Amino acid sequence: MNNPSKRVNLRPIFIALISFIVFILIILKYTQFSHEKTEKEVRDNLTDILVSKRSQLEKALYSRIYYTKGVAAYCSINNGITTEKFYQLAAELIRKDTVINSMALSKDCIISAIYPLAGHEAAIGVDLLKHPQRKKIVESTIKTHNTFVAGPVELVEGGIAFISYTPIFTKTTNDSLSFWGVTDIVILKQQLFNEINLVTQDKNFKYALKGTDGKGQEGECFWGDCKIFNDKPVTIEIILPTGTWCFASTPINGWTNYTDKSERIIMFLYFSAFIISILIWQLSRAIIIIRANEKELKAIFVSMEDIIIEFNRKGEYIKIAPTNYALLILPPKELLGKNLYEVFDKKTADYFYGAISECFTDKKMVVLDYPLTINDKIIWFEARISYLSENSVLYVAHDNTIKKTAEEQLKQSQQNLIMLNETKDKFFSIIAHDLRSPFQGFLGISELLCNNIDTLTKEEIKEYSKDLNFSLLKQYELLNDLLDWSRIQNQHFQLIKETIALNEETAKILANLELIASQKRITLLNTIDNNLFIKADLNMLKLVLRNLISNSIKFTNKDGLVEVSSKEKENYIEIVVSDNGVGIEEEELKSLFTNLQHTTEGTANEIGTGLGLMLSQEIIIKHGGKIWAESKIGVGSKFIFTLPTE
């Protein structure tokens, strides 16, 4: 016959064992999540690196493409350009540029001039439309009126290069455009990459490019380790005048090499699981269950068109190329013949005139970066002023707003990342401090019970057990708040909204808190309209109301009043939890919802978790509402939040 007392003695061991297994599974889940989070952080960091390298590559590439656009603009205005004038212009543009192999001018698509001529004599007279490798690109350039970047291609004289083709159109007497020819520039691939220190592999990552002839993902891989594209790479687009390149990167040792670096925390969690399981075994019925589930966050960029203007020494508009008129401050007819001071305010005119004068003085390119308001819209420009003659300079500018906006977004992302890391550190601080510190007391009480069980009175055992149970309940409450907070941070977290009778649900919460309030003889009052219905996630809303009402009870003296009321506004419902308690200091009020902090003792020495208000704020924000507090010392506090009506 079985011994009943033996079954009873084995039951706590069984419960403790099951609890320990659950804890281990949760920790393993957390470890898996931590690894995934680490990989995501690496991918986000790698994205930032690629964006930075893309910016450098686009800047280096476009700075050369601008040469052909400048030549094309000049030729469109001066269609009778001589070979000597072209050589003079090309020499001014590319003379000291080691990245550029050559620049050519092809009237009617037949190469008529090439700079430098030495070593390229055989190219003179070549018909681009009959050249098997260049025909298709040149035809596309003429058809679309756009600049194309071909290649990379192998040069006859050796080396690999990109060729940028820009069509040249002139204005006919009836104001239509007539094709004149093309200008091209040969950009040496390796010299271009060397200029910006772009390498196929650095200390941590390896890189590759694909998209020959601007075909993006569909194009061939032409630089770096092409296997990267088969290893879940981080990719971004390099924007060409027409088409794109695909820039990709992966860690040198693969994604699986990155593991979570929080081993101490994981070891602490294992130790905590063991200790809590022992306490559950010793106390027979105290079971704590932990469940965790978390995840986080993601980015994009750029495009452009130019305006091309010729200015004289007086800062007067001499000629305006037929390009992107939408970026001009006024229509071309209203600008031609006017000087800068007739168009802009003095400060802006001084800025432009000073840059033009500098170009005339030094006979070197001047680069500008500035904003203008055009059609009530602020547009950022990046411009280059090039010396043409004793009385003229060429001004080429493009819309740089997207890049500027992206830089600001990157700064904001960095600030957000700093804030996220600070919150994470505080989160772990609570885990390390508030979860670990009480165990010394738990162990002391449990040791006292184990060693003195035979000498303690029943009342003493009951008192010690009550203290231990109370402390464990507080730890359980803190764990629940931490888990709720982390669950809400998860980017996949979704609210499950339903129609809620607000008065009825509030009444249920007040009923559950009635016992706590009665211990301080606090009156709980529900003045919410019986016919008020809202759309919200019921569990989340109850969590907010429970936190705010409990908080008011905590900081209200005996014989006080806690009231829950509501107001219907035009597009939202305003819910107020008010009390006539001790109030909150003004300085503390400012950071009430923004910082993870240790809890303050209530009027009856109550202790909370310190997470309730921040958790409430996260929930209300998820609902599209706002939450704030109003308080006066000695008078009381109001915690107010809003929820949209739809």
Side-chain angles (χ1 to χ4, degrees), residues 90-308:
E92 174 65 26
L93 291 173
I94 70 170
R95 179 172 47 199
K96 295 181 180 180
D97 197 323
T98 58
V99 175
I100 297 175
N101 184 58
S102 64
M103 177 182 280
L105 188 66
S106 306
K107 190 174 187 307
D108 297 323
C109 295
I110 298 174
I111 299 177
S112 55
I114 188 167
Y115 180 88
L117 183 59
H120 300 93
E121 296 88 345
I124 299 296
V126 171
D127 188 340
L128 297 178
L129 293 177
K130 294 181 180 179
H131 193 285
Q133 293 180 327
R134 302 190 183 187
K135 179 176 182 294
K136 188 174 180 180
I137 291 292
V138 173
E139 286 177 343
S140 297
T141 298
I142 298 169
K143 181 179 179 181
T144 63
H145 292 210
N146 290 333
T147 295
F148 273 77
V149 177
V153 298
E154 188 171 353
L155 301 175
V156 175
E157 61 270 28
I160 306 297
F162 305 104
I163 305 176
S164 173
Y165 293 96
T166 300
I168 302 171
F169 292 87
T170 59
K171 238 180 182 179
T172 62
T173 54
N174 61 358
D175 241 15
S176 61
L177 295 178
S178 173
F179 177 67
W180 186 88
V182 297
T183 178
D184 69 74
I185 190 168
V186 178
I187 303 169
L188 296 172
K189 185 187 81 171
Q190 196 53 49
Q191 282 82 339
L192 176 68
F193 292 167
N194 289 345
E195 182 181 73
I196 61 172
N197 297 318
L198 186 62
V199 293
T200 58
Q201 182 174 310
D202 57 24
K203 183 179 179 181
N204 299 310
F205 305 107
K206 50 187 178 181
Y207 308 91
L209 280 165
K210 70 187 303 188
T212 302
D213 294 336
K215 293 180 180 179
Q217 286 279 10
E218 304 302 319
E220 296 179 2
C221 175
F222 60 82
W223 180 79
D225 185 355
C226 296
K227 295 178 181 177
I228 287 175
F229 291 96
N230 298 320
D231 188 23
K232 298 190 303 180
V234 175
T235 62
I236 61 172
E237 286 188 338
I238 305 294
I239 306 298
L240 303 178
T242 302
T244 62
W245 292 339
C246 181
F247 193 15
S249 180
T250 59
I252 291 177
N253 297 318
W255 298 106
T256 56
N257 190 53
Y258 287 92
T259 57
D260 189 21
K261 297 180 181 180
S262 55
E263 290 85 359
R264 291 184 180 178
I265 295 172
I266 293 173
M267 291 303 298
F268 170 72
L269 291 175
Y270 280 117
F271 176 74
S272 299
F274 177 71
I275 294 299
I276 293 172
S277 298
I278 291 176
L279 292 173
I280 290 173
W281 171 61
Q282 292 173 334
L283 296 173
S284 300
R285 302 180 191 273
I287 302 173
I288 300 175
I289 302 174
I290 305 173
R291 290 181 186 165
N293 204 349
E294 267 184 285
K295 273 181 191 162
E296 298 170 31
L297 141 19
K298 130 338 328 247
I300 106 148
F301 213 89
V302 179
S303 179
M304 64 167 261
E305 286 185 35
D306 297 346
I307 51 173
I308 303 166

Side-chain angles (χ1 to χ4, degrees), residues 470-501:
F470 177 78
S471 298
L472 284 169
L473 285 174
K474 284 300 176 184
Q475 292 305 103
Y476 180 73
E477 182 182 345
L478 176 59
L479 283 172
N480 273 335
D481 278 354
L482 287 170
L483 290 172
D484 285 336
W485 182 83
S486 64
R487 185 161 61 94
I488 290 172
Q489 300 302 310
N490 192 321
Q491 63 179 352
H492 297 302
F493 172 79
Q494 290 185 343
L495 298 173
I496 303 174
K497 291 188 177 183
E498 57 184 289
T499 302
I500 298 169

